[in-house]
Amino acid sequence: MIPTPHIEAKSKEEIAKTVLMPGDPLRAKFIADTFLEDVVQFNGVRNVLGYTGTYKGRKISVMASGMGMPSIGIYSYELYKFYEVENIIRIGSCGGYTKDVNLYDVILAKDVWSESSFAKVQGGYTKDVIEGTKELNEKLAKYAEELGIPMHVERIHSSDVFYRENFDEYKEIYEKHGCVAVEMEAFALFHNAKVLGKNAACLLTVSDNLATHEATTSEERQNAFTNMMKIALEMAE
Ligand code: HPA
């Protein structure tokens, strides 16, 4: 089934085995423009931009996921299942749940807790924690160390809701489940990888902190996120 309903690449060769997935299409473009050579755009459907190029001579793709589990659920499924992608590394932003994670810190999601019904509805998975792929996490930890970029390796929270009426709920999620930060996609990505026998990892940069009420501007985020991108780009093969 190529092209798929949401990706217009005409053959699986147009997409590398490893795909980096920021949420924002313009961040995908930024990565392609800034870091990749011999870039070819393979997707523009719904402006969910996707590019393949080389990093230090090694092939890699970058494509946006959009926001939220339904969106990353669609794109990651089509990439894994129909384009035979093996590794997807989400590179996104997150909100810190504790003072222990500062603005701009990089977090590698060891595993993810969620109250979302995504995994249950998609494939009957009823637990609320899913792990990232160990081999990918080990590689990412090694690259971070080689690059001298400090990285937390922790449990995160994937939420379906950005604006909660009960703002303080994050405290309970931190205390009960040990999630140090919140984003909105990793649980669906890790689940799809699991059911399809593929690999997934999630690198995050702290863009705001619910405990300290600190936040970054969109301009600051663009620059600070390059640390996380450089770690992930080393996955190029
Ligand atoms: N909530 C959910 N997702 C996020 C946040 C947040 O506060 N910050 C960055 N991504």
Side-chain angles (χ1 to χ4, degrees), residues 6 10 12 14 27 32 36 49 58 62 68 91 107 112 142 152 154 156 161 204-205 219 225:
H6 308 95
K10 288 184 187 62
K12 60 182 193 314
E14 289 180 44
R27 196 160 290 141
L36 302 189
L49 302 170
R58 286 129 56 194
V62 52
I91 44 176
I107 300 174
V112 52
K142 181 172 147 254
H152 304 271
E154 295 284 355
I156 59 153
V161 179
L204 301 167
T205 301
E219 199 183 337
F225 283 16

Side-chain angles (χ1 to χ4, degrees), residues 1 10 14 94 140 142 146 192-193 195 233:
M1 198 172 82
K10 288 184 187 62
E14 289 180 44
C94 66
L140 290 166
K142 181 172 147 254
E146 284 168 4
N192 279 351
V195 296
L233 280 161

Side-chain angles (χ1 to χ4, degrees), residues 93-95 162 182-184 207-208 210:
S93 63
C94 66
F162 190 92
V182 57
E183 52 83 81
M184 307 185 79
S207 63
D208 51 277
L210 285 79

Side-chain angles (χ1 to χ4, degrees), residues 4 13-15 26 31 45 53 63 86 91-92 110 120 123 131 138 152-153 177 181 192 201 210 212 219 223:
T4 60
E13 285 72 30
E14 289 180 44
I15 306 178
L26 291 182
I31 293 168
V45 178
M63 186 176 113
E86 290 298 322
I91 44 176
K110 175 172 58 105
K120 180 165 165 277
E131 290 177 356
E138 284 170 359
H152 304 271
V153 183
H177 303 288
N192 279 351
L210 285 79
T212 63
E219 199 183 337
N223 299 325

Side-chain angles (χ1 to χ4, degrees), residues 157-215:
H157 174 206
S158 279
S159 177
D160 282 327
V161 179
F162 190 92
Y163 297 107
R164 288 178 187 246
E165 286 304 301
N166 180 3
F167 179 83
D168 284 340
E169 232 163 354
Y170 80 89
K171 292 177 187 162
E172 196 184 320
I173 297 170
Y174 170 61
E175 279 159 21
K176 244 178 142 168
H177 303 288
C179 306
V180 302
V182 57
E183 52 83 81
M184 307 185 79
E185 291 83 15
F187 188 72
L189 173 64
F190 287 9
H191 172 76
N192 279 351
K194 200 176 159 76
V195 296
L196 295 169
K198 305 281 184 165
N199 307 313
C202 174
L203 276 175
L204 301 167
T205 301
V206 180
S207 63
D208 51 277
N209 190 305
L210 285 79
T212 63
H213 305 285
E214 294 170 295

